[in-house]
Amino acid sequence: MSDCAVLYFDDEQAPALRFARAAGLPAQAIERHRFPDGELKLRLPPVLPANLIIYRSLVHPNEKLVELLFAARTARQLGAQDLTLVCPYLAYMRQDIAFREGEVVSQSVVGHFLASLFDGVVTVDPHLHRVATLAEAVPVRRPTLLSGAPLLGDYIVRQRPGAFLLGPDSESAQWIASAARAHGLDHAACEKVRHGDREVEIRLPAVDLTGRAVVLLDDVASSGRTLARAAQAALQAGAASVDVAVTHALFADDALRIIAEAGVDDVWSTDCIAHPSNVVAMDHLLAVGVNGRTT
């Protein structure tokens, strides 16, 4: 892509530079200063190309959304005509419907906010449930949806040849099928009944897990309770071992401890969110998403 560059924030310098190298693009940092009262001041390079990419993963998103507002609006003033957000983790996608009167549908609010700033969004495995496409959630002109599942599948078969891929809930079925397809792995998904943010009930599918190496595969791990319940159920059903592979390693609070206590051996993730469990790099896939506009 000619006449294009990448801007990034200093706390994501390493992954942003890996992405820029994979995409063959120059990259520069956005300078940040925090005033004593907590307000932010940003400074972008004073001369920008017509095509500009801003790299920002939205883990802990609230302040970062303000940063994107400042950066995108200023980039337009400095000459950027076409703006793309490369966002390995896209936050606020879970709440896609109002379950009670007055609830904010954050997916719609954040999606339309980003669409007001950017012409394109490139992201990986956003949590789309009742919404079928990224374009419905984030109505930009160029929505690009990528998946870490096939790359996680490649890693899994090297670590656990012949593994059984198990999704912790019905929503994970799409990632399970995608990861299993290339290697012909057996796979299925559990049923989940949620009783709260940290209380879930898991029902195994009608499959024989006796003596199998089971890998739980999902798009995101946050509280870890769903994965823990699924691991316990798989082991009780005779699984020889259980590991976990996720695209987005949020692992809030005591999530890793809960998962380990449930009998999980190893935890693997992509680097969409920086975490000690990262084993799969996404820079080349993100570069394809930008240069090839793959959906």
Side-chain angles (χ1 to χ4, degrees):
M1 190 187 305
S2 61
D3 190 29
C4 183
V6 177
L7 293 185
Y8 62 89
F9 293 85
D10 56 2
D11 60 324
E12 290 185 316
Q13 177 175 301
L17 291 181
R18 289 196 298 269
F19 158 72
R21 284 194 295 270
L25 297 172
Q28 288 182 271
I30 296 172
E31 296 178 15
R32 287 189 297 175
H33 173 77
R34 186 181 300 278
F35 293 103
D37 61 3
E39 290 188 0
L40 292 169
K41 180 175 72 172
L42 305 182
R43 182 176 183 271
L44 280 62
V47 178
L48 294 175
N51 299 296
L52 187 67
I53 294 168
I54 296 180
Y55 183 101
R56 198 55 163 153
S57 195
L58 288 176
V59 60
H60 306 303
N62 296 347
E63 185 170 282
K64 293 176 182 178
L65 290 170
V66 175
E67 292 173 345
L68 290 179
L69 172 64
F70 292 171
R73 294 287 191 225
T74 305
R76 300 279 189 191
Q77 297 170 4
L78 294 174
Q81 299 174 18
D82 188 283
L83 276 176
T84 297
L85 173 65
V86 171
C87 185
Y89 173 67
L90 183 56
Y92 282 119
M93 292 294 105
R94 288 193 187 97
Q95 185 80 1
D96 56 7
I97 192 173
F99 295 96
R100 295 186 299 166
E101 186 177 0
E103 279 187 343
V104 174
V105 182
S106 58
Q107 183 188 91
S108 177
V109 174
V110 171
H112 282 80
F113 170 73
L114 293 175
S116 73
L117 300 176
F118 295 95
D119 303 289
V121 170
V122 179
T123 192
V124 182
D125 289 336
H127 196 83
L128 304 179
H129 182 200
R130 297 168 189 85
V131 171
T133 66
L134 178 61
E136 292 176 69
V138 188
V140 291
R141 289 193 293 110
R142 294 189 312 277
T144 301
L145 175 58
L146 306 170
S147 179
L151 294 178
L152 284 169
D154 294 344
Y155 185 85
I156 288 167
V157 297
R158 294 195 298 270
Q159 305 301 313
R160 303 287 187 266
F164 190 104
L165 299 188
L166 185 64
D169 53 35
S170 60
E171 295 173 34
S172 63
Q174 58 183 310
W175 292 285
I176 292 288
S178 177
R181 190 177 300 120
H183 303 285
L185 298 176
D186 294 333
H187 62 283
C190 300
E191 292 184 20
K192 177 175 69 174
V193 179
R194 182 174 290 281
H195 301 293
D197 288 344
R198 296 175 182 271
E199 293 297 327
V200 295
E201 177 186 348
I202 296 294
R203 298 169 186 157
L204 284 176
V207 294
D208 184 7
L209 299 180
T210 304
R212 301 296 300 269
V214 172
V215 177
L216 296 169
L217 180 65
D218 208 355
D219 63 324
V220 61
S222 181
S223 74
R225 268 59 178 181
T226 298
L227 290 169
R229 300 293 181 272
Q232 290 169 337
L235 290 168
Q236 290 169 1
S241 63
V242 176
D243 302 290
V244 164
V246 295
T247 301
H248 302 300
L250 286 174
F251 294 119
D253 301 325
D254 60 351
L256 284 175
R257 178 181 62 81
I258 293 295
I259 290 170
E261 290 177 352
V264 169
D265 292 329
D266 291 323
V267 176
W268 306 310
S269 66
T270 76
D271 64 357
C272 288
I273 296 173
H275 190 268
S277 64
N278 293 165
V279 295
V280 172
M282 300 299 291
D283 48 348
H284 288 282
L285 183 62
L286 290 167
V288 169
V290 168
N291 291 327
R293 302 298 183 198
T294 299
T295 58

